[in-house]
C-alpha cells in the first residue's frame, strides 16, 4: 500500500454521520469511474446499524492539512448468517494498484475466520479488477445475481382484485410475516425484519403507493414492491405465500408492476434475480426482460443450492 497508511483495526458499527458521508462519497466516485455501484443498498443501509464491522482506509494527510484524511478505501463485514459473513469493499480509483484492495480483503477474510465463519464477497458488475482481486485471494464464484431490464411504454394498468397500497404504521408486521413465508429459503430477502423494513421506509425513494399487498378474504397472500427513481423503476421485490402459489398471482403482479411503472412516465424497468432460478428467468423473459448486468458472489465453499429469488413470480 504505497500511498496509504497501514490498515486500521475494524470499527464496530454503527458509523458516525461524518464516516457515513465519507463512505457514500467514496462509493459515488467509484461508481462514476466503473459504471456500476460498488456497494449494495443493504451495505449502505448497514452503515448506521449495529452488527456490522467496518474498515476505513485513509490516505496520509499533507502537512498542515485538516486532521480528517481522505478516505481511499472501505470494507464492510456483515453480521453472521448461516455460518457465513458477507462482505463488500471499494477502493478509490486513484488508489488502485497499490495493494490496498488486497490488504483490505485479507483483513476482512482474517476477521471472518477469527469469528468462525466463511467469507462471502460480492463483486457488483464483476468488473475485471474485482474479479482479479477475488480470484487472487483464492476465492471462486459461487453465485450470480442477474440484473434484468426492459424498455417501458404506456399500456393499460390491469385490474388485480384484492390489490391495495401498503399502509405505513399498520401493515409492517403483516408484510414481514408474508415476506418471511414467501422467501423462507432465500439467503437475504427471507431474513428481512421489521427494522429492515423501517430503514427502507426512511429512504427518499420509498412511497407506500408503490408497495402493494394482494389480499384474499382479508389476508395478504402476495405483494409487489416497486422502487421508483426516475427515469428508471425497479421491480424491487415480489413475493407469493407458498399456500397461494400456482394460481398465477406472480405473473399478474409482474404485469401490473410493468404497467404501473410505465404509467409514471418511466423509461426503463429493472429487477434482480438469481441466475440459477430457471422459473424466474422464464417468467421475466416472457414479460420482456433481458439480462444487462451480472453481480457475482465469491467464496471458498461449494456452490449453494438454488433458492427462491427475491422477485420470483409464482
Amino acid at each position: 500500500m504505497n500511498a496509504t497508511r497501514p490498515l486500521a483495526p475494524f470499527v464496530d458499527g454503527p458509523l458516525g454521520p461524518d464516516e457515513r458521508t465519507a463512505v457514500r462519497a467514496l462509493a459515488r466516485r467509484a461508481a462514476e469511474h466503473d459504471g456500476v455501484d460498488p456497494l449494495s443498498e443493504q451495505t449502505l443501509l448497514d452503515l448506521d446499524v449495529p452488527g456490522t464491522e467496518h474498515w476505513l482506509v485513509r490516505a496520509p494527510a499533507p502537512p498542515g492539512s485538516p486532521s480528517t484524511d481522505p478516505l481511499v478505501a472501505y470494507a464492510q463485514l456483515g453480521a453472521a448468517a448461516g455460518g457465513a459473513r458477507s462482505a463488500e469493499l471499494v477502493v478509490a480509483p486513484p488508489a488502485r494498484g497499490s495493494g490496498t484492495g488486497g490488504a483490505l480483503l485479507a483483513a476482512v477474510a482474517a476477521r471472518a475466520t477469527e469469528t468462525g465463519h466463511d467469507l462471502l464477497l460480492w463483486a457488483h458488475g464483476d468488473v475485471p479488477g474485482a474479479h482479479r482481486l477475488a480470484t487472487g485471494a483464492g476465492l471462486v464464484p459461487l453465485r450470480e445475481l442477474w440484473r434484468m431490464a426492459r424498455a417501458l411504454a404506456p399500456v393499460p394498468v390491469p385490474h388485480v382484485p384484492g390489490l391495495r397500497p401498503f399502509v405505513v404504521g399498520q401493515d409492517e408486521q403483516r408484510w414481514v410475516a408474508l415476506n418471511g413465508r414467501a422467501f423462507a429459503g432465500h439467503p437475504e430477502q427471507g431474513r428481512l425484519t421489521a427494522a429492515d423494513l423501517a430503514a427502507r421506509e426512511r429512504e427518499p425513494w420509498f412511497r407506500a403507493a408503490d408497495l402493494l399487498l394482494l389480499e384474499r378474504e382479508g389476508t395478504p397472500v402476495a405483494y409487489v414492491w416497486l422502487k421508483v427513481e426516475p427515469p428508471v423503476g425497479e421491480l424491487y421485490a415480489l413475493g407469493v405465500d407458498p399456500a397461494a402459489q400456482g394460481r398465477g398471482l406472480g405473473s399478474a403482479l409482474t404485469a401490473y408492476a410493468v404497467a404501473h411503472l410505465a404509467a409514471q412516465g418511466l423509461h426503463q424497468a429493472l429487477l434482480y434475480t438469481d441466475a440459477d432460478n430457471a422459473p424466474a428467468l422464464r417468467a421475466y423473459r416472457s414479460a420482456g426482460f433481458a439480462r444487462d448486468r451480472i453481480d457475482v458472489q465469491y467464496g471458498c465453499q461449494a456452490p449453494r443450492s438454488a433458492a427462491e429469488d427475491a422477485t420470483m413470480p409464482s
Side-chain angles (χ1 to χ4, degrees), residues 84-136:
R85 300 184 69 180
S86 183
E88 296 187 5
L89 63 86
V90 56
V91 179
R96 296 173 186 176
S98 64
T100 302
L104 191 55
L105 178 55
V108 172
R111 177 59 180 164
T113 299
E114 179 184 334
T115 60
H117 299 94
D118 293 327
L119 176 69
L120 299 174
L121 177 71
W122 277 108
H124 299 289
D126 199 29
V127 295
H131 177 78
R132 288 193 299 270
L133 182 66
T135 56

Side-chain angles (χ1 to χ4, degrees), residues 239-301:
V240 179
D241 191 311
Q245 290 177 5
R247 305 176 190 174
L249 299 183
S251 296
L253 291 178
T254 300
Y256 178 92
V258 169
H260 182 73
L261 293 173
Q264 298 185 55
L266 302 174
H267 299 160
Q268 186 182 46
L270 304 173
L271 59 85
Y272 291 84
T273 183
D274 279 291
D276 61 0
N277 193 331
L281 295 180
R282 286 194 298 270
Y284 292 137
R285 284 170 174 151
S286 295
F289 288 88
R291 188 188 76 187
D292 79 337
R293 195 184 94 187
I294 300 175
D295 296 341
V296 178
Q297 187 184 68
Y298 292 87
C300 295
Q301 60 195 37

Side-chain angles (χ1 to χ4, degrees), residues 177-179 181-183 219-223 239-247 249 308 314:
L178 171 60
N179 182 72
R181 293 193 301 272
F183 300 110
T219 300
V221 297
Y223 76 88
V240 179
D241 191 311
Q245 290 177 5
R247 305 176 190 174
L249 299 183
E308 280 194 289
S314 305

Side-chain angles (χ1 to χ4, degrees), residues 54-308:
H54 313 263
W55 285 257
L56 298 98
V57 183
R58 300 185 182 277
S65 68
S67 58
T68 301
D69 305 340
L71 188 67
V72 296
Y74 168 77
Q76 182 183 120
L77 186 62
R85 300 184 69 180
S86 183
E88 296 187 5
L89 63 86
V90 56
V91 179
R96 296 173 186 176
S98 64
T100 302
L104 191 55
L105 178 55
V108 172
R111 177 59 180 164
T113 299
E114 179 184 334
T115 60
H117 299 94
D118 293 327
L119 176 69
L120 299 174
L121 177 71
W122 277 108
H124 299 289
D126 199 29
V127 295
H131 177 78
R132 288 193 299 270
L133 182 66
T135 56
L139 303 178
V140 298
L142 300 181
R143 178 183 173 194
E144 285 189 1
L145 188 68
W146 287 9
R147 189 177 78 173
M148 304 184 76
R150 59 155 289 167
L152 293 174
V155 294
V157 178
H159 174 64
V160 181
L163 192 64
R164 67 165 179 85
F166 180 89
V167 178
V168 175
Q170 172 182 303
D171 287 325
E172 282 79 1
Q173 291 301 327
R174 289 151 63 89
W175 181 87
V176 169
L178 171 60
N179 182 72
R181 293 193 301 272
F183 300 110
H186 193 273
E188 292 99 17
Q189 184 73 18
R191 298 200 308 265
L192 293 184
T193 65
D196 294 318
L197 175 57
R200 286 159 175 79
E201 290 178 344
R202 293 191 293 270
E203 287 293 289
W205 56 264
F206 177 81
R207 293 197 319 154
D210 292 327
L211 172 51
L212 299 116
L213 300 178
L214 179 59
E215 294 183 332
R216 292 291 184 266
E217 298 179 355
T219 300
V221 297
Y223 76 88
V224 60
W225 192 350
L226 306 173
K227 182 178 182 180
V228 176
E229 295 180 300
V232 174
E234 181 183 340
L235 206 173
Y236 187 63
L238 189 158
V240 179
D241 191 311
Q245 290 177 5
R247 305 176 190 174
L249 299 183
S251 296
L253 291 178
T254 300
Y256 178 92
V258 169
H260 182 73
L261 293 173
Q264 298 185 55
L266 302 174
H267 299 160
Q268 186 182 46
L270 304 173
L271 59 85
Y272 291 84
T273 183
D274 279 291
D276 61 0
N277 193 331
L281 295 180
R282 286 194 298 270
Y284 292 137
R285 284 170 174 151
S286 295
F289 288 88
R291 188 188 76 187
D292 79 337
R293 195 184 94 187
I294 300 175
D295 296 341
V296 178
Q297 187 184 68
Y298 292 87
C300 295
Q301 60 195 37
R304 69 183 182 89
S305 60
E308 280 194 289

